[in-house]
Amino acid sequence: PRSTLFPYTTLFRSPAGGSAAGQGGGRAGLAAAALRSRIRGALGRPGVVFASGSAALTGRSDRALRRLAAVLRRDPRARIRIDGFTDSQGSAAGNAALSRARARSARAWLTACGITAGRLTTEGFGASRPVASNATAAGRQANRRIEISVRGG
C-alpha cells in the first residue's frame, strides 16, 4: 500500500518502504518515526510548492526548507530523498525534467545551508503522482511540489 501522505508536501516512508506509521522495530524504528515527525512539522503546509513551469523556490518554500535544514543539522546521520512533482500541464518529457529540477533545486538550497550532499538524493516523477485534481488551479498548485522520504543508513 501507498505510504502515508502529508497533504501537499511530504511522503514519509520507512527505509524498507513501509508506512510512516512506525514500521521497523526497536530504537532505529523509533528514531526514524521521530525524524519523520520533525520533518513533517518543519515543512508545514503547504510546504515546498512551485509556480507553474518553474523550479525556483518561493519565499514560503525558503522558510520551510530553512526549518528542514535545522532538523537535518540536529540529526547528522539522517538521510533523505527529495522527490519532485508537477501538475499535468505540459508534455510528459517536460514535466519529467521539471520535476527533477525541482528536487535538485531543494537539494541545492539544503547543501548551501551546510547539509552534506551525500545525505540527499533526488528523483523526479513528473505528473505521475498527483495529490489533488489537476482540473482546478488549487489542485494544480498542490501537485507542483516536492516530497521528502526518510532513507535508511
Side-chain angles (χ1 to χ4, degrees):
R2 175 108 184 189
S3 299
T4 302
L5 180 68
F6 183 65
Y8 305 119
T9 307
T10 318
L11 177 68
F12 298 96
R13 284 183 235 148
S14 69
S19 82
Q23 291 199 5
R27 243 180 256 204
L30 292 174
L35 177 61
R36 285 189 295 272
S37 178
R38 288 193 307 273
I39 290 171
R40 185 175 26 251
L43 291 174
R45 288 188 195 166
V48 181
V49 294
F50 299 85
S52 183
S54 175
L57 294 166
T58 65
R60 178 177 286 159
S61 296
D62 183 72
R63 288 186 294 279
L65 287 172
R66 188 180 317 274
R67 291 188 303 265
L68 175 59
V71 168
L72 293 173
R73 278 193 291 275
R74 283 193 299 269
D75 189 347
R77 295 180 311 161
R79 299 166 58 89
I80 63 170
R81 186 176 85 190
I82 305 165
D83 295 335
F85 300 90
T86 66
D87 60 28
S88 62
Q89 306 296 299
S91 69
N95 282 337
L98 179 58
S99 66
R100 287 189 299 272
R102 287 175 173 168
R104 284 189 217 123
S105 179
R107 180 183 63 193
W109 195 101
L110 290 168
T111 58
C113 284
I115 306 302
T116 306
R119 297 171 58 194
L120 312 169
T121 59
T122 61
E123 193 163 345
F125 292 94
S128 67
R129 297 181 184 175
V131 294
S133 171
N134 280 300
T136 67
R140 289 188 297 276
Q141 176 64 63
N143 291 327
R144 297 189 296 263
R145 70 198 188 281
I146 62 166
E147 295 178 349
I148 305 296
S149 300
V150 175
R151 298 186 304 140

